[in-house]
Amino acid sequence: MYKAVKRIIAWSGQRKSRLYAGFIYSFFHTMFTALPIMAAAYGLSLILEDRNGAAELTSAHILSLAGFVLFAVAGRFWFAYLRAAAQESVGYETAAEQRLAIGAALKRVSLSFFNEKSAGEIAAAITTDLSFLELFGMKMIDTVVNGYISALTLVFCLSFYNIWISLIAAAGILLSALFLSLLSKKSWKNAPVRQQAQDNMVAATFEYIRGMPVVKAFHQSGVSREGIARAYRLNKTISEKIEKNFVPYNCLHLLALRVAATTMVLAAALFTLNGTMELPIMLMTAIFSFVIFGQIESVNNAAHVLRIIDAVLDKLAGIEAAAYIDQNGRNIEPSAYDIRFQNVTFAYEQRAVLKKVSFFIPENTTAAIVGPSGSGKTTICNLLARFYDVDQGSIAVGGVDVKTMTCDSLLKNIAMVFQNVYLFRDTLRNNIRFGKPEASDAEIIAAAQKACCHDFIMALPDQYDTVIGDGGCTLSGGEKQRISIARAMLKNAPIILLDEATASVDPENEHAIQQAISSLVQGKTMIVIAHRLATIQNADQILVVADGCIAQQGTHEELLRQEGVYKRFLALRQAAEGWSI
Ligand SMILES: Nc1ncnc2c1ncn2[C@@H]1O[C@H](COP(=O)(O)OP(=O)(O)OP(=O)(O)O)[C@@H](O)[C@H]1O
């Protein structure tokens, strides 16, 4: 439990000095809480002495006591304010910083990281887990550290009046801490299980929502809901089990504190009866017995919450520790934009996808990649963009090995127009502007016009300010692709990676889009995953990928003269789509 407290303090990074300042304010806050009670006891003893005739109670006594109490109350509120101001926003500030840091880190990890961790798991870490940490992290610091500071400060104050009473209070605190450590051991064992159950629940919910179109199309609501219901049931069962484990230790912890409080009052009464304690001190002890354990009573909840926080911190550390794909990269500006694959071998996990692939694309030329589905065409583009690193061989742009470049300096030179280019839940204007953040409205409109999306955008109710759904789900496939072409136009990068994907293009606009693509690629080096015969024919070279290898390479005419995959592939495509050469 205390290890988790230390981790929260470490998590707060540069802000930890504010936490330490908060601990000092907490000490003074407690001192100022104790002072009015001590002053009241002193006032009572003056009244009793006045009654006995031992000393006279003057109005000056009463006024100075009242002034002292007012000063103590004001001091108490002042230190409570200082503590809150120092500590309470630390969690929110640190979490906000960490969210940005994780966002930046995710941009730089290999995409294989997203195979290992589901989108739901990562989303849960950045949203619910970090929210939990920002909300409860500082509360736990307050409950545990400030709670013990407060209790021990009051024990210290009591020791000036009666050492035995302060020892009873200290014993109560120690005994409750023992039960808390047992409770904490249980929580420590259960919290990761609960964390996993919650992650599964988020991932199942995420998948259910994302897969809704498929669920509806296949009338599979029963099957898909079963998965999500199972995740919810498991979470409920685990939470109930944890609560049951929690109860006995919680009762023992509270019992220790209540027994200590009662024993303090009984001992004070006995000391008063045998004349070793004055009545006002006994009354003061009775009041202290109510307040001394107040804050540490709720440490029981902290044990469980702290374990969850510990698991959350582990999870966040796991995401942040993911190796940056470009951690040894430098910001390099290639002097040319030719592309060379040299004996590139690559596997997703264990499955070999590309085997010793070599080719060269001169600057300002177009290479069309053709080949059967699953042969590795998209993988070639993903490797060039360094979404993954090659296992063997090398990829160079303008003679510079992409492994020596940072992702930013490499991707600055590449624009992608893929079937599944992601559009954000934002305005169309901002989605296009993604290609060039500093672009003016006029540039955005010009790019949209060239990419044949200006007309459909102007027909929408809010035109360029229309907000589109997640992933562009409120647009048709063709519209999404045209937006992504506009985005690429605006970026004006020297290398274009294009997945032609004519399937999603509106036939009416196909010609215009082809024109748009032609103007997009002028003077650029382009790799196109080609589907249209015209693109294939017009390419400067065709790379025929089959089974992870470059089976054939050459111009359309050269390849037509050879017997091989290309000729067979072309015949099949022609038959399927009614082409004629
Ligand atoms: N992220 C991934 N993790 C594991 N395997 C993958 C991943 N992406 C692709 N693959 C596998 O790698 C192989 C090549 O995929 P790739 O997407 O490069 O093929 P493709 O030629 O572009 O196919 P298509 O024409 O159908 O788009 C396929 O067998 C695919 O199942």
Side-chain angles (χ1 to χ4, degrees), residues 115 348 351 353 371-380 388 419 529:
N115 286 2
Y348 290 108
R351 201 156 135 236
V353 176
S373 175
S375 56
K377 303 182 293 294
T378 309
T379 305
I380 288 177
Y388 304 88
Q419 287 176 38
I529 298 174

Side-chain angles (χ1 to χ4, degrees), residues 357-375:
V357 167
S358 297
F359 58 81
F360 177 71
I361 307 174
E363 190 173 33
N364 299 341
T365 65
T366 296
I369 306 184
V370 297
S373 175
S375 56

Side-chain angles (χ1 to χ4, degrees), residues 201-465:
M201 199 169 67
V202 175
T205 310
F206 217 67
E207 198 165 78
Y208 182 66
I209 294 168
R210 290 212 328 190
M212 193 57 78
V214 183
V215 171
K216 281 176 183 290
F218 289 90
H219 301 291
Q220 286 292 351
S221 55
V223 176
S224 58
R225 276 185 53 190
E226 185 46 38
I228 201 168
R230 207 178 314 118
Y232 291 167
R233 274 198 301 269
L234 188 67
N235 185 56
K236 175 188 136 268
T237 313
I238 288 170
S239 299
E240 278 174 355
K241 194 175 152 217
I242 290 173
E243 285 305 320
K244 271 188 201 147
N245 283 333
F246 189 63
V247 172
Y249 297 102
N250 187 22
C251 290
L252 287 170
H253 147 74
L254 291 176
L255 188 70
L257 296 179
R258 298 281 148 78
V259 168
T262 316
T263 315
M264 279 168 68
V265 177
L266 279 176
L270 283 175
F271 287 134
T272 311
L273 283 178
N274 69 21
T276 51
M277 184 180 273
E278 289 175 22
L279 184 66
I281 306 301
M282 190 206 99
L283 291 174
M284 184 194 76
T285 307
I287 296 173
F288 268 168
S289 74
F290 284 110
V291 294
I292 194 165
F293 305 123
Q295 241 180 305
I296 50 173
E297 273 186 12
S298 46
V299 175
N300 52 2
N301 296 323
H304 179 57
V305 173
L306 278 169
R307 180 55 185 114
I308 297 176
I309 286 181
D310 198 59
V312 165
L313 285 169
D314 279 344
K315 195 167 148 192
L316 292 170
I319 293 179
E320 285 189 309
Y324 289 165
I325 199 165
D326 64 349
Q327 61 200 9
N328 300 320
R330 286 176 298 126
N331 285 325
I332 303 175
E333 183 64 58
S335 54
Y337 298 100
D338 52 74
I339 296 164
R340 185 181 293 281
F341 272 54
Q342 187 86 44
N343 286 327
V344 169
T345 297
F346 175 75
Y348 290 108
E349 287 141 30
Q350 301 302 321
R351 201 156 135 236
V353 176
L354 296 183
K355 296 159 221 160
K356 290 195 172 291
V357 167
S358 297
F359 58 81
F360 177 71
I361 307 174
E363 190 173 33
N364 299 341
T365 65
T366 296
I369 306 184
V370 297
S373 175
S375 56
K377 303 182 293 294
T378 309
T379 305
I380 288 177
C381 295
N382 286 344
L383 290 177
L384 175 62
R386 217 177 163 201
F387 290 163
Y388 304 88
D389 263 342
V390 299
D391 296 330
Q392 282 168 30
S394 67
I395 300 172
V397 171
V400 181
D401 190 330
V402 293
K403 270 193 178 176
T404 62
M405 301 172 76
T406 58
C407 290
D408 277 348
S409 67
L410 171 68
L411 290 173
K412 196 168 87 181
N413 302 306
I414 300 177
M416 295 183 174
V417 182
F418 276 8
Q419 287 176 38
N420 55 356
V421 165
Y422 196 83
L423 300 182
F424 296 95
R425 179 190 276 278
D426 200 341
T427 60
L428 284 166
R429 185 191 312 280
N430 285 344
N431 266 289
I432 299 174
R433 183 176 276 138
F434 201 74
K436 183 181 173 191
E438 69 283 6
S440 66
D441 281 358
E443 285 177 278
I444 290 171
I445 291 171
Q449 278 167 336
K450 277 202 229 161
C452 307
C453 36
H454 179 71
D455 290 347
F456 91 77
I457 293 176
M458 292 309 280
L460 293 170
D462 293 319
Q463 300 174 345
Y464 280 84
D465 292 318

